[in-house]
DNA sequence: AAAAATACAGAATAATATTCTTCGAATAGG
DNA sequence: CCTATTCGAAGAATATTATTCTGTATTTTT
């Protein structure tokens, strides 16, 4: 999986605009459309480009509240970890979830309509997962990036 | 900015695959291509769809280490906040940055090649920003979502 | 040095996006 | 209660883009 400088340029262009067309990418990297096309297909094939997505304004779809939630487990046996992780994967409110090494065990980002819905989420979803220990919520006031 | 059920379907489809073409979207939502096209353009125009991006496998581009970094400021005067925020915006290693209300002031996600590069980032980039207080790093071991 | 593989360009074709015109249904105004 | 207007959609026509195919120069392998 060797990427040369041109591949990296392509990646940067498609990160900025996932719908930039071949001709335009070709122009910017200084190649004709064919090798450009083939390079992009290769990047997709070998898994460097994992897909494309539309960036949605979450407030427009009624997800006004974003919360970073730090979770610790009570038990660190394999079973507890597996149960917790598969429960998290099923929750649509959770947009990202990382298993981390540090002060806590998991970092979750949660997106919900408002505080009331978040409270309901905590009480009726998160708190019901077995083995769960401490939960610490940080409410996003603004997104710099 | 009123979204009906069809708009929400479109949003979900384009989130799964930002390059899904009009014809296919139209087929899935049960409309012909023209109104589908016009709805998508409208969603882009009014800012519900903010853009499109390629999803890149970060390990493929040599960013093997992901860190969630919690930062507190020493001073919470407006000036300190502004200086910190504009410094953060300039750092390419920082992929996301949130100003939060909670135990700390900022949550950053950092992507770098390895621990050595991270240490260098902490010492030579982050620690040099004026007004910075506590920094707490959590290293991502696995990504559930 | 010959053979094979690689990377690219340009042309041809296939598929898709975009625009334009038209139609029918719902709604507001007279 | 009828007519004008708006709205949402369909279908055809056109423009643009993606994809494939063919040929050539360059590099690598044997």
């Amino acid at each position: 999986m060797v990427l040369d400088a041109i591949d990296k340029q392509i990646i940067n262009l498609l990160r900025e605009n996932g719908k930039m067309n071949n001709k335009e990418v070709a122009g910017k990297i200084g190649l004709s459309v064919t090798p450009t096309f083939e390079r992009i297909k290769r990047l997709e094939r070998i898994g460097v480009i994992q897909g494309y997505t539309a960036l949605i304004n979450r407030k427009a779809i009624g997800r006004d509240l974003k919360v970073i939630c730090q979770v610790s487990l009570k038990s660190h046996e394999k079973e507890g970890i597996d149960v917790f992780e598969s429960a998290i994967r099923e929750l649509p409110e959770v947009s990202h979830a990382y298993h981390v090494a540090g002060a806590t065990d998991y970092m979750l980002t949660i997106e919900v309509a408002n505080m009331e819905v978040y409270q309901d989420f905590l009480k009726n979803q998160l708190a019901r997962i077995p083995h769960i220990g401490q939960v610490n919520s940080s409410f996003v006031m603004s997104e710099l990036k």
Side-chain angles (χ1 to χ4, degrees), chain A:
Chain A
M1 202 199 286
V2 181
L3 306 183
D4 66 14
I6 297 176
D7 291 323
K8 285 174 187 163
Q9 275 186 279
I10 291 174
I11 289 168
N12 287 331
L13 290 169
L14 293 180
R15 251 223 280 244
E16 278 178 47
N17 174 12
K19 273 199 163 172
M20 183 180 290
N21 68 48
N22 248 299
K23 204 174 154 188
E24 198 177 344
V25 175
K28 285 185 192 278
I29 65 178
L31 284 183
S32 69
V33 295
T34 309
T36 304
F37 174 77
E38 279 162 359
R39 277 172 182 268
I40 293 172
K41 288 299 153 196
R42 170 176 169 266
L43 291 172
E44 292 171 357
R45 184 161 24 82
I46 66 179
V48 172
I49 296 175
Q50 296 177 310
Y52 299 88
T53 188
L55 300 169
I56 305 300
N57 178 344
R58 74 184 155 82
K59 297 191 178 171
I61 57 170
R63 304 216 149 185
D64 287 77
L65 184 61
K66 184 167 195 157
V67 187
I68 316 278
C69 189
Q70 296 176 258
V71 179
S72 297
L73 297 190
K74 271 197 296 225
S75 136
H76 292 84
E77 292 159 23
K78 182 174 187 324
E79 193 233 336
I81 291 174
D82 290 346
V83 168
F84 176 79
E85 294 197 354
S86 53
I88 288 298
R89 276 188 248 265
E90 299 308 312
L91 297 175
E93 295 90 347
V94 178
S95 50
H96 295 283
Y98 305 113
H99 189 186
V100 299
T104 53
D105 293 324
Y106 291 91
M107 289 272 189
L108 314 177
T109 64
I110 320 277
E111 288 180 12
V112 289
N114 54 48
M115 194 62 84
E116 193 181 346
V117 175
Y118 183 64
Q119 189 189 10
D120 181 79
F121 169 80
L122 278 187
K123 281 173 65 179
N124 296 316
Q125 306 289 331
L126 212 56
R128 287 185 181 175
I129 300 175
H131 312 289
I132 205 153
Q134 296 291 112
V135 176
N136 193 302
S137 304
S138 298
F139 298 95
V140 172
M141 297 186 292
S142 69
E143 304 190 35
L144 283 63
K145 267 190 182 179

